[in-house]
């Protein structure tokens, strides 16, 4: 049984994802379909990762970029509108 707030559960989820991916400080991370940028922002803030995020949504990228700017992480995170099927 988990206790705590929904926000605390969200942070635990992000930490679990990064732990399972074995993210280490200073690594570079690709976030495909980054949504609103939560995982990218958390990885950059917690580990100092450089993150490239790709999405199909112009609207999501606009809001995620606002969040990145608010956190002062523009030097670590770059979001782009790219079709993941043609990215590689």
């Amino acid at each position: 049984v988990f206790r705590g707030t929904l926000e605390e559960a969200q942070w635990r989820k992000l930490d679990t994802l990064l732990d399972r991916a074995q993210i280490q400080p200073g690594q570079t991370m690709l976030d495909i379909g980054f949504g609103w940028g939560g995982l990218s922002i958390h990885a950059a803030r917690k580990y100092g990762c450089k993150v490239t995020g790709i999405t199909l949504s112009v609207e999501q990228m606009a809001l995620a970029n606002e969040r990145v700017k608010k956190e002062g992480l523009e030097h670590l995170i770059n979001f782009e509108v790219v079709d993941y099927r043609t990215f590689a």
Side-chain angles (χ1 to χ4, degrees):
V1 174
F2 292 106
R3 297 182 189 246
T5 66
L6 182 59
E7 183 178 3
E8 290 167 340
Q10 180 68 12
W11 292 123
R12 278 194 306 271
K13 179 185 83 170
L14 295 177
D15 284 334
T16 298
L17 288 169
L18 295 171
D19 288 345
R20 288 186 180 176
Q22 299 178 358
I23 299 298
Q24 300 296 314
Q27 285 184 325
T28 300
M29 186 177 99
L30 174 62
D31 191 355
I32 299 173
F34 58 80
W36 306 112
L39 180 64
S40 296
I41 291 168
H42 192 61
R45 188 183 320 126
K46 184 171 182 177
Y47 295 102
C49 291
K50 290 186 178 182
V51 181
T52 297
I54 62 172
T55 186
L56 298 173
S57 173
V58 173
E59 294 83 6
Q60 284 183 329
M61 186 180 77
L63 182 70
N65 276 327
E66 287 178 25
R67 293 179 69 198
V68 167
K69 186 174 182 177
K70 183 179 176 184
E71 294 287 332
L73 297 170
E74 304 100 312
H75 63 292
L76 293 175
I77 301 174
N78 178 50
F79 292 139
E80 299 178 34
V81 175
V82 175
D83 188 333
Y84 66 91
R85 295 166 290 193
T86 61
F87 182 72

